[in-house]
């Protein structure tokens, strides 16, 4: 078994933590000896065992001369869990506590360094105790797996994914506002899969009042994300589903500082809804960079799925705050309809946000295109 193949299995195992480990990264680990996998582990939920310790503890045969393959640099810090480098070193100890270089794990293969300054340093530590360390196997895939964690830990802001479902001619809805459902069942299922993976789903007040959405991942198995509504003056109808259903304690309303001190804000708080007071920008709208930073700081939200509507999508695009755009395009032409981003305009093409295609394919009868901001044009 090659390091590449073993890392492939570690990447698969890491996915078992999806939706459960945030704000931590998803991490997978395998231990290989004599060309086969003898133990597997993964970081299963926030606060739980780290992947390496999980793998080492589940081994039922000797680890002498084994290679440990892990998607992320093993940690050296005491957090909710003890340092993984200590657990690796412990496999080399004799019963009297001294190190025997011929025992235990002799080689460690790492997908990517840990960008968290509190935890990193494992590479040097392992090398200093005589373990052979290889770094960067399938690094690109490991970075993609943990793009939410990386953005959050390096910038203090969440990774922003935006989802747009349009007609062939770029409309969210007809001129009269009819939008359910332009795209088909498979596209809706894919959006629900994104909801199950992400920390929070974000919409504007207009969308809540128009669609009264649930925003949960009902078409797939998965937990309810936090639900965020942007509502500058707190004019939201208090009887909407997001503020009243059994998940209302997962709802966060971002509102202006003045509105956050109103009697209505107090009433919502009493019902279990969270209120975040956000400074206004020069145009009197909620400052989105501040809102993102506050959501990361106060609620440890590492990733957000922006679902609309047109105003919110336009503001995020205009301010270059989208790190990843999922475009679902249905094969239908609606003509003079409501365009996805028409609440902003550019004076010349040089000012237009540019994207590059990361992936594209078919989603039932629709197209699904994943786009990333072109270098220098986005925030990632
Ligand atoms: C690893 N293996 O499986 C994970 C790591 O509070 P703690 O102890 O859970 O530490 C969390 C930090 O440790 C997290 O921010 C990241 O830097 C690293 N996560 N490290 O060696 C793992 N989940
Ligand atoms: Zn660790």
């Amino acid at each position: 078994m090659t390091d590449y193949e073993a890392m492939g299995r570690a990447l698969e195992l890491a996915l078992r933590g999806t939706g459960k480990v945030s704000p931590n990264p998803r991490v997978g680990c395998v231990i290989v000896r004599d060309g086969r996998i003898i133990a597997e582990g993964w970081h299963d939920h926030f606060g739980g065992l780290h992947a390496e310790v999980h793998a080492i503890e589940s081994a039922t045969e000797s680890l002498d001369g084994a290679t440990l393959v892990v998607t992320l640099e093993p940690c050296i810090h005491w957090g909710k869990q003890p340092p993984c480098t200590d657990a690796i070193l412990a496999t080399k100890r004799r019963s009297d506590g001294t190190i025997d270089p011929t025992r235990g794990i002799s080689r460690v293969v790492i997908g990517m360094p840990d960008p968290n300054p509190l935890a990193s340093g494992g590479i040097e530590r392992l090398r200093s105790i005589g373990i052979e360390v290889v770094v960067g196997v399938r690094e690109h895939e490991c970075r993609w797996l943990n793009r939410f964690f990386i953005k959050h830990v390096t910038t203090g802001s969440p990774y922003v994914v935006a989802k747009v479902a349009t007609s062939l001619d770029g409309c969210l809805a007809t001129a009269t506002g009819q939008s359910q459902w332009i795209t088909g069942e498979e596209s809706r299922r894919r959006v629900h899969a994104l909801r199950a993976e992400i920390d929070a789903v974000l919409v504007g007040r207009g969308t809540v009042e128009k669609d009264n959405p649930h925003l949960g991942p009902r078409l797939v198995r998965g937990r309810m994300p936090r639900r965020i509504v942007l509502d500058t003056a707190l004019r939201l109808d208090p009887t909407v589903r997001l503020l009243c259903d059994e998940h209302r304690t997962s709802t966060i309303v971002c509102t202006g500082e003045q509105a956050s001190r109103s009697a209505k804000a107090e009433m919502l708080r009493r019902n279990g809804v969270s209120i975040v007071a956000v400074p206004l920008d020069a145009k009197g709208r909620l400052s989105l960079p501040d809102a993102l930073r506050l959501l990361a700081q106060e609620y440890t939200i590492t990733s957000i799925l922006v679902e609309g509507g047109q105003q919110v999508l336009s503001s995020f695009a205009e301010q270059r705050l989208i790190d990843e755009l999922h475009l679902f395009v249905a094969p239908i032409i609606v003509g003079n309809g409501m365009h996805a981003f028409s609440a902003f305009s550019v004076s010349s093409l040089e000012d237009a946000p540019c994207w590059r295609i990361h992936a594209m394919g078919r989603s039932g009868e629709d197209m699904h295109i994943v786009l990333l901001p072109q270098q220098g044009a986005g925030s990632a």
Side-chain angles (χ1 to χ4, degrees), residues 21 23-29 42-53 70-85 114-120 149 153:
V21 296
N24 279 351
R26 291 181 285 188
V27 185
C29 177
W42 61 93
H43 186 41
D44 182 71
H45 55 272
F46 178 73
L49 286 184
H50 284 189
E52 302 88 318
V53 174
V70 60
T71 55
L72 184 74
E73 175 183 20
C75 66
I76 59 163
H77 77 307
W78 281 86
K80 292 204 178 316
Q81 290 291 331
C84 291
T85 41
D114 190 339
N116 179 2
L118 285 176
S120 69
F149 167 73
V153 84

Side-chain angles (χ1 to χ4, degrees), residues 188-220:
R188 291 204 296 283
R189 202 194 57 75
R190 291 185 186 200
V191 172
H192 286 214
L194 281 170
R195 289 177 180 172
E197 218 179 296
I198 208 107
D199 287 350
V201 175
L202 181 147
V203 291
R205 178 176 62 89
T207 297
V208 176
E209 295 198 329
K210 185 165 147 294
D211 300 341
N212 198 10
H214 173 270
L215 300 177
R218 283 174 300 183
L219 300 174
V220 297

